[in-house]
Amino acid sequence: MANERTAAGSLRGWLLAAALVTFFAVVMGNVVRVSASGAVCADWPTCYGQAAWPQDTAAQLHMVHRLVSGAGALLALAAAVLAVRRGAARVVRGLAAAGAGVMLVQAGWGAWVALRPETEFLAGVHLGLALTALGALSAAALAAYRFHHDPQQADGLRFASPFARLTLAVLALVGVLMVSGAWVVSLDAGASCTGWPLCAGGLPTNGLGWLALAHRALTLVSGVGVSALVVRAWRGQRSQQVTLTAATAAFTLFAGQVLIGAVKVSRGFSPDLVGLHAASAAGVWAALALTAAAAGLAGRRSEDERSEASEPLQFRARLRDFFTLSKPLIVALLLVTTYAGMVMGARAIPGWEVTLWTLLGGALAAAGSSAINQYIDRDIDGSMQRTAKRPLPAQRLTPGEGLAYGVAANLISFFLLAGFVNLTAALLSLAGMVYYVLIYSLWLKRLTVQNIVIGGGAGAIPPLVGWAAVTGSLTFPALFLFAIIFLWTPPHFWALALVRRNDYARAGVPMMPVIRGEKSTRIQIFIYTLELVAVTLLMPLLNLTGSVFLISAAVLGLWLIGAAWRVLRVGGNKVAWKMYRYSSMYLMFIFVALVLDVLV
């Protein structure tokens, strides 16, 4: 049995790797298409007939695209062979084989186009094949995961309901949109249709102009299609976690791509936005492929969807539940640290525009991460008195709604930060989400007694986002802001864990009071508190802050050390609860002190 689980896990890993590498191949192909001319690397597999790595950027992009595409084809082939040898479900074998076959064909087609520059106009076919391979491999990976968690899953794809058929129609429509976009770029059709939305205020005068105008019309129709898909998903697919989340992600990515496309033009096609625009396009397609695959695997009937769509929903109550899912108090606290990072980085009050977009993006990132965390921990939350009444364990929202909301909020946050602030801030925010969701929630929280210590890095990222928002980079002083929150997190949450020790023990979470005992936890709370206060007092000594912060850090530090000392010497839930509350106020006050120190 263990060998069977290992084999199944290996197949899922290979399929996922093949899908991810193929995704990056599509992204790189789009970047090459936009940023490099067809005359570059007019041979294959090398550039200019030389084995050495090319020196110019355009040729390097071509070579990276070829290497990634080759790796994707090999991974897809290996996954298909593995699926057959391991006796995977018929639908998994079929999708894996289709993905591998199409991937090999598109690699050959790409080589043929590279060797014949006059056929550059056929690059759209190359993209279409790559998208087909990406869709098949993504669907195969999803099917493999579904069969692992539900061995009774029907072996096949069944598109019997109107929603399932709509997923196929929208998938095809967006595929045509992306291929037409490749043709518009490769043929420079945009030059024949200047202006917007029509061509110079009227109709085109040649074939290329009509191609460009048709692409614009397809964009509008595709947007309507994706919007209709997500609306119907939220009406009749709330019980379907993957379907609802993938449809929501597809809509958010589509809107984000439109936003980045507009910003890209206004900023003169900066390379970072060109790459992000290409990645967003590939992401839309992958999300729609997952939506269609999930709907096909579910095989729901029209009656099932109509029944779910007819369930009465209380709008205000659900809005309140989504707000609760965001953990607004935590969001507010993180925004204080984000704004302090902005003021510290700028050494002044930042402009209202960058402040607005940074705080809005930060709030959405924190809210989305909290929602995904509660989706992951819904089983734990249901067994703990403190969290049993949250929207997911109390079943006021479905797990799919919680996950879809979290994913959408994080994607919106990323696009807002990338479009209106800068890519560094957006990537830092995304890194914080990945850290919190993947490293802490999915891995560390249930694995090690040091979960809070290592996981504290996720909550320490918001001030770095604020710093990067106003400076475009990170410098040494920003690391002290990270260190403050990193060292604050263990005593804060261990104090709560002392109060809720029985809850954590019942839920099977290896918090320090459960594993090491209360005495050891109280000692660690005091040690980390001393380290935290020492770091804050070190900042003035290094001339990073002034006298206002020095006095504030000393007063606040003595207050917090006093609370930690009482936890150490007195013990009991009442004292630990005070430490938990005081530490929350301490974090807010210490970052307010940082702001005042700059302004006074």
Side-chain angles (χ1 to χ4, degrees), residues 180-202:
S180 69
W183 273 325
V184 168
V185 172
S186 61
L187 298 174
D188 194 23
S192 299
C193 186
T194 57
W196 195 90
L198 298 177
C199 300

PDB file of all heavy atoms in Angstrom, residues 180-202:
ATOM      1  N   SER A 180      -4.876  34.634 -32.059  1.00  0.00           N
ATOM      2  CA  SER A 180      -5.025  35.833 -32.906  1.00  0.00           C
ATOM      3  C   SER A 180      -4.087  36.933 -32.427  1.00  0.00           C
ATOM      4  O   SER A 180      -3.545  37.692 -33.238  1.00  0.00           O
ATOM      5  CB  SER A 180      -6.474  36.313 -32.883  1.00  0.00           C
ATOM      6  OG  SER A 180      -6.826  36.840 -31.612  1.00  0.00           O
ATOM      7  N   GLY A 181      -3.887  37.018 -31.106  1.00  0.00           N
ATOM      8  CA  GLY A 181      -2.932  37.996 -30.584  1.00  0.00           C
ATOM      9  C   GLY A 181      -1.521  37.719 -31.062  1.00  0.00           C
ATOM     10  O   GLY A 181      -0.761  38.655 -31.373  1.00  0.00           O
ATOM     11  N   ALA A 182      -1.163  36.435 -31.132  1.00  0.00           N
ATOM     12  CA  ALA A 182       0.166  36.086 -31.647  1.00  0.00           C
ATOM     13  C   ALA A 182       0.308  36.499 -33.104  1.00  0.00           C
ATOM     14  O   ALA A 182       1.368  36.986 -33.530  1.00  0.00           O
ATOM     15  CB  ALA A 182       0.398  34.578 -31.496  1.00  0.00           C
ATOM     16  N   TRP A 183      -0.743  36.328 -33.873  1.00  0.00           N
ATOM     17  CA  TRP A 183      -0.696  36.741 -35.282  1.00  0.00           C
ATOM     18  C   TRP A 183      -0.614  38.270 -35.405  1.00  0.00           C
ATOM     19  O   TRP A 183       0.096  38.785 -36.272  1.00  0.00           O
ATOM     20  CB  TRP A 183      -1.923  36.217 -36.014  1.00  0.00           C
ATOM     21  CG  TRP A 183      -1.734  34.814 -36.547  1.00  0.00           C
ATOM     22  CD1 TRP A 183      -0.580  34.273 -37.032  1.00  0.00           C
ATOM     23  CD2 TRP A 183      -2.730  33.790 -36.611  1.00  0.00           C
ATOM     24  NE1 TRP A 183      -0.783  32.978 -37.411  1.00  0.00           N
ATOM     25  CE2 TRP A 183      -2.107  32.645 -37.172  1.00  0.00           C
ATOM     26  CE3 TRP A 183      -4.064  33.716 -36.277  1.00  0.00           C
ATOM     27  CZ2 TRP A 183      -2.773  31.462 -37.392  1.00  0.00           C
ATOM     28  CZ3 TRP A 183      -4.746  32.519 -36.495  1.00  0.00           C
ATOM     29  CH2 TRP A 183      -4.106  31.411 -37.043  1.00  0.00           C
ATOM     30  N   VAL A 184      -1.350  38.972 -34.574  1.00  0.00           N
ATOM     31  CA  VAL A 184      -1.300  40.436 -34.609  1.00  0.00           C
ATOM     32  C   VAL A 184       0.118  40.920 -34.362  1.00  0.00           C
ATOM     33  O   VAL A 184       0.624  41.831 -35.037  1.00  0.00           O
ATOM     34  CB  VAL A 184      -2.271  41.038 -33.572  1.00  0.00           C
ATOM     35  CG1 VAL A 184      -2.010  42.530 -33.394  1.00  0.00           C
ATOM     36  CG2 VAL A 184      -3.712  40.809 -34.000  1.00  0.00           C
ATOM     37  N   VAL A 185       0.809  40.293 -33.398  1.00  0.00           N
ATOM     38  CA  VAL A 185       2.171  40.706 -33.068  1.00  0.00           C
ATOM     39  C   VAL A 185       3.139  40.321 -34.171  1.00  0.00           C
ATOM     40  O   VAL A 185       3.955  41.132 -34.623  1.00  0.00           O
ATOM     41  CB  VAL A 185       2.604  40.080 -31.724  1.00  0.00           C
ATOM     42  CG1 VAL A 185       4.086  40.346 -31.470  1.00  0.00           C
ATOM     43  CG2 VAL A 185       1.769  40.646 -30.585  1.00  0.00           C
ATOM     44  N   SER A 186       3.083  39.055 -34.629  1.00  0.00           N
ATOM     45  CA  SER A 186       4.062  38.584 -35.611  1.00  0.00           C
ATOM     46  C   SER A 186       3.915  39.283 -36.951  1.00  0.00           C
ATOM     47  O   SER A 186       4.899  39.471 -37.680  1.00  0.00           O
ATOM     48  CB  SER A 186       3.934  37.060 -35.791  1.00  0.00           C
ATOM     49  OG  SER A 186       2.632  36.724 -36.268  1.00  0.00           O
ATOM     50  N   LEU A 187       2.693  39.681 -37.301  1.00  0.00           N
ATOM     51  CA  LEU A 187       2.462  40.362 -38.584  1.00  0.00           C
ATOM     52  C   LEU A 187       2.429  41.878 -38.445  1.00  0.00           C
ATOM     53  O   LEU A 187       2.219  42.579 -39.439  1.00  0.00           O
ATOM     54  CB  LEU A 187       1.132  39.879 -39.185  1.00  0.00           C
ATOM     55  CG  LEU A 187       1.053  38.379 -39.513  1.00  0.00           C
ATOM     56  CD1 LEU A 187      -0.354  38.006 -39.966  1.00  0.00           C
ATOM     57  CD2 LEU A 187       2.074  38.012 -40.585  1.00  0.00           C
ATOM     58  N   ASP A 188       2.631  42.375 -37.213  1.00  0.00           N
ATOM     59  CA  ASP A 188       2.576  43.811 -36.947  1.00  0.00           C
ATOM     60  C   ASP A 188       1.270  44.400 -37.460  1.00  0.00           C
ATOM     61  O   ASP A 188       1.233  45.485 -38.054  1.00  0.00           O
ATOM     62  CB  ASP A 188       3.771  44.521 -37.594  1.00  0.00           C
ATOM     63  CG  ASP A 188       3.950  45.941 -37.057  1.00  0.00           C
ATOM     64  OD1 ASP A 188       3.464  46.207 -35.933  1.00  0.00           O
ATOM     65  OD2 ASP A 188       4.555  46.769 -37.754  1.00  0.00           O
ATOM     66  N   ALA A 189       0.171  43.682 -37.191  1.00  0.00           N
ATOM     67  CA  ALA A 189      -1.130  44.138 -37.680  1.00  0.00           C
ATOM     68  C   ALA A 189      -1.600  45.387 -36.954  1.00  0.00           C
ATOM     69  O   ALA A 189      -2.430  46.138 -37.479  1.00  0.00           O
ATOM     70  CB  ALA A 189      -2.164  43.017 -37.509  1.00  0.00           C
ATOM     71  N   GLY A 190      -1.100  45.616 -35.727  1.00  0.00           N
ATOM     72  CA  GLY A 190      -1.521  46.796 -34.996  1.00  0.00           C
ATOM     73  C   GLY A 190      -1.204  48.088 -35.720  1.00  0.00           C
ATOM     74  O   GLY A 190      -1.902  49.092 -35.562  1.00  0.00           O
ATOM     75  N   ALA A 191      -0.139  48.081 -36.548  1.00  0.00           N
ATOM     76  CA  ALA A 191       0.226  49.292 -37.290  1.00  0.00           C
ATOM     77  C   ALA A 191      -0.818  49.653 -38.334  1.00  0.00           C
ATOM     78  O   ALA A 191      -0.901  50.801 -38.779  1.00  0.00           O
ATOM     79  CB  ALA A 191       1.582  49.090 -37.965  1.00  0.00           C
ATOM     80  N   SER A 192      -1.637  48.676 -38.733  1.00  0.00           N
ATOM     81  CA  SER A 192      -2.677  48.925 -39.734  1.00  0.00           C
ATOM     82  C   SER A 192      -4.004  49.296 -39.108  1.00  0.00           C
ATOM     83  O   SER A 192      -4.996  49.495 -39.812  1.00  0.00           O
ATOM     84  CB  SER A 192      -2.868  47.674 -40.610  1.00  0.00           C
ATOM     85  OG  SER A 192      -1.678  47.357 -41.304  1.00  0.00           O
ATOM     86  N   CYS A 193      -4.011  49.358 -37.780  1.00  0.00           N
ATOM     87  CA  CYS A 193      -5.257  49.710 -37.087  1.00  0.00           C
ATOM     88  C   CYS A 193      -4.918  50.544 -35.867  1.00  0.00           C
ATOM     89  O   CYS A 193      -5.006  50.082 -34.730  1.00  0.00           O
ATOM     90  CB  CYS A 193      -6.033  48.446 -36.702  1.00  0.00           C
ATOM     91  SG  CYS A 193      -7.668  48.768 -35.992  1.00  0.00           S
ATOM     92  N   THR A 194      -4.502  51.765 -36.098  1.00  0.00           N
ATOM     93  CA  THR A 194      -4.172  52.660 -34.997  1.00  0.00           C
ATOM     94  C   THR A 194      -5.450  53.226 -34.392  1.00  0.00           C
ATOM     95  O   THR A 194      -6.508  53.234 -35.023  1.00  0.00           O
ATOM     96  CB  THR A 194      -3.282  53.801 -35.484  1.00  0.00           C
ATOM     97  OG1 THR A 194      -3.953  54.498 -36.539  1.00  0.00           O
ATOM     98  CG2 THR A 194      -1.956  53.259 -35.997  1.00  0.00           C
ATOM     99  N   GLY A 195      -5.344  53.723 -33.192  1.00  0.00           N
ATOM    100  CA  GLY A 195      -6.525  54.226 -32.509  1.00  0.00           C
ATOM    101  C   GLY A 195      -7.258  53.104 -31.794  1.00  0.00           C
ATOM    102  O   GLY A 195      -6.906  51.929 -31.909  1.00  0.00           O
ATOM    103  N   TRP A 196      -8.273  53.500 -31.031  1.00  0.00           N
ATOM    104  CA  TRP A 196      -9.048  52.514 -30.264  1.00  0.00           C
ATOM    105  C   TRP A 196     -10.417  53.104 -29.949  1.00  0.00           C
ATOM    106  O   TRP A 196     -10.530  54.304 -29.690  1.00  0.00           O
ATOM    107  CB  TRP A 196      -8.300  52.189 -28.969  1.00  0.00           C
ATOM    108  CG  TRP A 196      -8.809  50.950 -28.289  1.00  0.00           C
ATOM    109  CD1 TRP A 196      -8.383  49.666 -28.464  1.00  0.00           C
ATOM    110  CD2 TRP A 196      -9.883  50.882 -27.335  1.00  0.00           C
ATOM    111  NE1 TRP A 196      -9.105  48.811 -27.679  1.00  0.00           N
ATOM    112  CE2 TRP A 196     -10.041  49.541 -26.973  1.00  0.00           C
ATOM    113  CE3 TRP A 196     -10.722  51.841 -26.743  1.00  0.00           C
ATOM    114  CZ2 TRP A 196     -10.988  49.102 -26.064  1.00  0.00           C
ATOM    115  CZ3 TRP A 196     -11.680  51.410 -25.841  1.00  0.00           C
ATOM    116  CH2 TRP A 196     -11.808  50.062 -25.502  1.00  0.00           C
ATOM    117  N   PRO A 197     -11.525  52.339 -30.027  1.00  0.00           N
ATOM    118  CA  PRO A 197     -11.583  50.910 -30.345  1.00  0.00           C
ATOM    119  C   PRO A 197     -11.568  50.600 -31.839  1.00  0.00           C
ATOM    120  O   PRO A 197     -11.249  49.499 -32.236  1.00  0.00           O
ATOM    121  CB  PRO A 197     -12.912  50.491 -29.724  1.00  0.00           C
ATOM    122  CG  PRO A 197     -13.776  51.718 -29.830  1.00  0.00           C
ATOM    123  CD  PRO A 197     -12.847  52.871 -29.611  1.00  0.00           C
ATOM    124  N   LEU A 198     -11.941  51.572 -32.684  1.00  0.00           N
ATOM    125  CA  LEU A 198     -11.891  51.344 -34.122  1.00  0.00           C
ATOM    126  C   LEU A 198     -10.521  51.728 -34.657  1.00  0.00           C
ATOM    127  O   LEU A 198      -9.639  52.174 -33.918  1.00  0.00           O
ATOM    128  CB  LEU A 198     -12.988  52.148 -34.810  1.00  0.00           C
ATOM    129  CG  LEU A 198     -14.435  51.803 -34.416  1.00  0.00           C
ATOM    130  CD1 LEU A 198     -15.412  52.734 -35.119  1.00  0.00           C
ATOM    131  CD2 LEU A 198     -14.743  50.339 -34.730  1.00  0.00           C
ATOM    132  N   CYS A 199     -10.339  51.574 -35.952  1.00  0.00           N
ATOM    133  CA  CYS A 199      -9.068  51.893 -36.591  1.00  0.00           C
ATOM    134  C   CYS A 199      -9.111  53.334 -37.084  1.00  0.00           C
ATOM    135  O   CYS A 199      -9.802  53.633 -38.074  1.00  0.00           O
ATOM    136  CB  CYS A 199      -8.802  50.947 -37.770  1.00  0.00           C
ATOM    137  SG  CYS A 199      -8.721  49.204 -37.309  1.00  0.00           S
ATOM    138  N   ALA A 200      -8.388  54.203 -36.380  1.00  0.00           N
ATOM    139  CA  ALA A 200      -8.370  55.624 -36.732  1.00  0.00           C
ATOM    140  C   ALA A 200      -9.775  56.182 -36.832  1.00  0.00           C
ATOM    141  O   ALA A 200     -10.103  56.992 -37.708  1.00  0.00           O
ATOM    142  CB  ALA A 200      -7.615  55.835 -38.046  1.00  0.00           C
ATOM    143  N   GLY A 201     -10.642  55.716 -35.935  1.00  0.00           N
ATOM    144  CA  GLY A 201     -12.007  56.216 -35.886  1.00  0.00           C
ATOM    145  C   GLY A 201     -12.945  55.593 -36.884  1.00  0.00           C
ATOM    146  O   GLY A 201     -14.120  55.961 -36.948  1.00  0.00           O
ATOM    147  N   GLY A 202     -12.492  54.643 -37.699  1.00  0.00           N
ATOM    148  CA  GLY A 202     -13.348  54.015 -38.695  1.00  0.00           C
ATOM    149  C   GLY A 202     -13.010  52.549 -38.867  1.00  0.00           C
ATOM    150  O   GLY A 202     -12.384  51.923 -38.005  1.00  0.00           O
TER     151      GLY A 202
END
